[in-house]
Amino acid sequence: MSLTPATWARAYRPLHPVSLAVQLLVLVLAEVALFASYGAHDARFHWATHFLVALAYTSVLLLVRLLITGAPGPRFLLLTLLGFHLFAMAPDLLFRGGVPHYRWMDLFLGHVAAHYLPGGDGSWLLIALLTTGAYVAALTLWLRARRAEALTGMPPGVGLTGTAVLRAQRDPRTTTLVNEEHGHGPPSALLLHGLGAAAAFWRPVAQCLAERGLGTLLPDLLGFGSSRRLGTHFHLDDQAAAVIRLLENHRPMVLVAHSYGAAVAVAVAAERPDLVGRLVLICPAAFADPDEARRRIGARSWIARKAMSGSPVAGLACGAMCLLRAPLTILAPRLASSFSPDVPAQVARDAVTYLWPAYRDALRSLLEDNPLGPWLADPPLPTTVVLAEEDRTVPADGLVALLGRRVKVVRLAGTHALPIEHPDHVSNAITAKGPEQCVPDTPPQ
Amino acid sequence: MWGRLPGAEPPLRWWLPTAVFVVAAVVLSLVIALVVRAPGPRDDPDPADQRDGLLLSGPRLPPQVAGVEFGGRTVVVLFERTPPAGPAFDRWRDAVSDDGVGLVIAVAGEKRTGLLAAATGIPRPVDGGPPVGYAVVDATRLVRYATLDPTYLINAFEVDVITGAVAGAGS
């Protein structure tokens, strides 16, 4: 799903001023009626308790929803509060119908237990004001961020998740991709990472190349690594445009790309061949057809399968992960060191810190407008493809069938994570030299 | 790369939610502080225990307490500081006892009132004086409800709910 005017119009619908005004009127009238019904038998404190509990629950729900989905909701914000209040006070309605209270009625937002909070309604008032204040603060930041994006001509980031929803994204038309340089002298190769990775993925290779006197440039693509706050569009042409802006400041370079990055590299080379010397594509994400792509990429993870099927569950799961980004960045390197000791800590962190829309749009680019097939069949520029013999995502044999005669092929032992597993062999392929060994100066962090 | 984006700006001014929140917070705080009744001197020291609607399961009273017989039918013991009277009380009494429920009125100062209060476990009010409220004892002599309720005259339906819920016991 692309960001279109319909997308943000849908995201803005819950904030329509007329709708909010009508909802506010209905809410106030309904609450006055409920207050009066409690007041008729001297139980106003019950009204207060359950209203404040409902207000606190509603605020937390709306806040979590805003942070997970990247847009306010549900459709009727204020009526949601009324709904929660009616739910919270449902046992009192049952009481009027002849049913006394039971402990299990705490299922109704703690209907019984709520009265036993020390401080009573005063405490609930404080809690309700704090939670509502938190939601209002988040919504205010969200509104300011979307307005700032709109004023610069960017599509509003209504699909962004986690804390990204609270900050305006930077305009990639005026801001360069975050990148790091390795080696001495002007860079002669640009290394593009794949899906769920960032510049750190290439550091072992960049170090090998630096030892051979080759300077490299390692950018974080839009929505990944330190370029996470760049842009709200993450389709192939957006990524290519950002890379082209980076290349325009340099002389023509060797474009080295891994997996999904290969699709970006080819899009760049097709758009601006004058900026590209040649291409070296490591395990490029090229598939015989979209079904094969779905099957292979889907085998990588549950989230990938859901994202490709267009399921909103994937967005919710990724949104929840974005909310948990801080603990995940601590946990991921530890898990990686246990299960995949070869994976550097920063690569493990990058694998959990990308933006969900960037991941989703990248997958869709591979399925819907993947330029690798035609390019590899008949490349207009010198192209080397490095295959990994044990690659399950892009099997070597399947890939070979897609390659035209003009493509130079290098087959190496390893899996899809070839640049991490064998940086020296990959460096050999990039420099087009014979076998050489290089030892990293510092162990992976 | 991107052209003009109609409708990209949010439909709500960024400061509006904060302004509405501040006004609503003030109004709500005033309502809670001024309109919601604060606990009075005849209420339970713990307001959460006053008219909580939760049935008790005891204690079980002897067949006779201070000359009042329990067992065989539901009995409501009303605790008051002065003898209740007037049309409001008549309506309350009729509503409470119209389905065979026994009604015992225990007025402060009478000897049996203290014994009944102790037996049913009705709480002592904030002011330390005699209780104003009621206890419900089922047909098996179990105390099923005991609450302070200084406004019991407008809450006959609450007594009905409790007596209705315990009506099946022992019958």
Side-chain angles (χ1 to χ4, degrees):
Chain A
M1 181 182 65
S2 300
L3 268 180
T4 63
T7 311
W8 57 77
R10 191 164 48 249
Y12 289 157
R13 204 175 296 153
L15 301 178
H16 195 279
V18 175
S19 170
L20 285 174
V22 171
Q23 290 177 62
L24 184 62
L25 183 67
V26 171
L27 176 66
V28 170
L29 291 176
E31 290 301 338
V32 167
L34 291 174
F35 183 86
S37 75
Y38 275 102
H41 57 106
D42 189 40
R44 294 185 192 93
F45 74 95
H46 277 270
W47 171 87
T49 304
H50 301 308
F51 176 77
L52 294 170
V53 167
L55 183 57
Y57 269 94
T58 306
S59 300
V60 170
L61 175 83
L62 298 189
L63 177 62
V64 170
R65 173 168 172 146
L66 177 67
L67 295 177
I68 287 182
T69 67
R75 172 76 176 83
F76 300 107
L77 293 174
L78 298 179
L79 294 186
T80 302
L81 170 58
L82 181 58
F84 267 102
H85 187 192
L86 289 171
F87 180 71
M89 61 174 277
D92 289 343
L93 298 174
L94 292 173
F95 195 93
R96 294 303 292 249
V99 181
H101 284 10
Y102 296 100
R103 289 285 175 191
W104 62 262
M105 288 179 172
D106 274 335
L107 290 172
F108 295 89
L109 305 189
H111 182 88
V112 176
H115 292 295
Y116 292 88
L117 180 72
D121 287 344
S123 297
W124 279 118
L125 177 65
L126 186 64
I127 291 170
L129 291 181
L130 285 174
T131 51
T132 310
Y135 174 65
V136 168
L139 182 64
T140 301
L141 290 173
W142 186 88
L143 287 168
R144 290 186 66 164
R146 304 295 80 82
R147 182 167 186 271
E149 288 162 354
L151 290 179
T152 58
M154 292 172 68
V158 295
L160 303 172
T161 51
T163 52
V165 304
L166 308 179
R167 294 179 300 194
Q169 304 302 295
R170 289 196 300 269
D171 191 344
R173 292 168 301 182
T174 55
T175 311
T176 308
L177 285 175
V178 177
N179 62 84
E180 50 188 75
E181 275 194 52
H182 288 256
H184 302 291
S188 52
L190 183 124
L191 280 55
L192 295 175
H193 61 81
L195 200 54
F201 181 81
W202 281 115
R203 279 181 196 154
V205 171
Q207 203 162 353
C208 283
L209 293 173
E211 288 176 12
R212 299 173 192 187
L214 196 68
T216 53
L217 204 58
L218 282 59
D220 290 338
L221 290 172
L222 299 177
F224 295 93
S226 298
S227 295
R228 208 166 60 220
R229 288 187 58 203
L230 267 177
T232 57
H233 261 189
F234 306 98
H235 292 280
L236 210 51
D237 52 349
D238 304 304
Q239 298 284 14
V243 173
I244 286 170
R245 275 191 296 283
L246 184 63
L247 285 171
E248 280 172 339
N249 299 322
H250 299 84
R251 62 190 169 88
M253 283 202 236
V254 179
L255 272 194
V256 181
H258 175 251
S259 192
Y260 162 72
V264 179
V266 164
V268 169
E271 182 73 19
R272 290 293 300 275
D274 58 305
L275 298 175
V276 181
R278 61 188 174 91
L279 291 167
V280 179
L281 309 178
I282 320 292
C283 309
F287 303 94
D289 54 57
D291 287 339
E292 169 76 358
R294 274 194 186 83
R295 201 162 57 80
R296 292 291 174 186
I297 299 172
R300 285 170 61 108
S301 72
W302 172 84
I303 290 230
R305 283 195 295 280
K306 291 293 174 189
M308 287 187 294
S309 69
S311 167
V313 174
L316 291 175
C318 274
M321 281 178 66
C322 287
L323 272 182
L324 300 172
R325 192 173 275 146
L328 283 174
T329 51
I330 298 170
L331 197 60
R334 295 181 183 189
L335 287 175
S337 67
S338 302
F339 295 103
S340 307
D342 291 341
V343 175
Q346 186 56 46
V347 173
R349 278 187 212 105
D350 291 336
V352 293
T353 53
Y354 52 81
L355 276 187
W356 156 242
Y359 179 82
R360 178 199 60 197
D361 290 353
L363 282 180
R364 289 181 180 173
S365 295
L366 289 178
L367 295 179
E368 295 164 8
D369 51 3
N370 191 339
L372 279 167
W375 182 279
L376 293 177
D378 186 19
L381 289 175
T383 301
T384 300
V385 168
V386 179
L387 308 173
E389 295 289 3
E390 292 97 47
D391 190 343
R392 290 183 179 179
T393 305
V394 189
D397 293 339
L399 190 55
V400 165
L402 304 176
L403 304 180
R405 287 192 304 141
R406 294 168 61 191
V407 175
K408 182 183 174 186
V409 180
V410 177
R411 299 183 80 119
L412 297 175
T415 70
H416 197 63
L418 202 53
I420 292 177
E421 294 168 346
H422 302 294
D424 44 357
H425 295 167
V426 171
S427 300
N428 290 338
I430 293 170
T431 54
K433 288 182 179 174
E436 257 183 71
Q437 290 275 327
C438 64
V439 181
D441 290 339
T442 53
Q445 294 180 356
Chain B
M1 179 164 59
W2 300 317
R4 184 176 161 76
L5 301 171
E9 203 170 329
L12 217 55
R13 294 289 178 193
W14 66 267
W15 48 264
L16 199 58
T18 305
V20 172
F21 169 70
V22 169
V23 172
V26 170
V27 170
L28 191 57
S29 301
L30 289 174
V31 167
I32 302 297
L34 302 178
V35 185
V36 173
R37 185 174 73 83
R42 293 191 297 174
D43 288 331
D44 195 300
D46 187 348
D49 287 333
Q50 184 163 318
R51 298 160 59 204
D52 60 7
L54 286 166
L55 297 180
L56 305 172
S57 55
R60 191 183 297 279
L61 301 184
Q64 196 178 74
V65 177
V68 177
E69 290 191 354
F70 294 98
R73 63 171 184 163
T74 303
V75 174
V76 172
V77 183
L78 173 68
F79 295 91
E80 248 296 12
R81 292 187 176 182
T82 56
F89 173 71
D90 292 341
R91 282 194 297 276
W92 183 88
R93 182 186 56 208
D94 293 344
V96 167
S97 56
D98 63 355
D99 46 3
V101 173
L103 178 62
V104 175
I105 299 170
V107 179
E110 294 177 357
K111 184 180 176 186
R112 68 172 187 169
T113 301
L115 295 171
L116 287 168
T120 56
I122 192 161
R124 184 172 283 270
V126 174
D127 65 5
V132 178
Y134 60 92
V136 176
V137 184
D138 71 14
T140 66
R141 307 194 310 276
L142 275 180
V143 177
R144 305 301 306 278
Y145 201 60
T147 185
L148 299 179
D149 184 4
T151 57
Y152 67 90
L153 286 180
I154 60 170
N155 292 329
F157 85 93
E158 291 189 10
V159 188
D160 267 344
V161 171
I162 301 300
T163 55
V166 305
S171 58

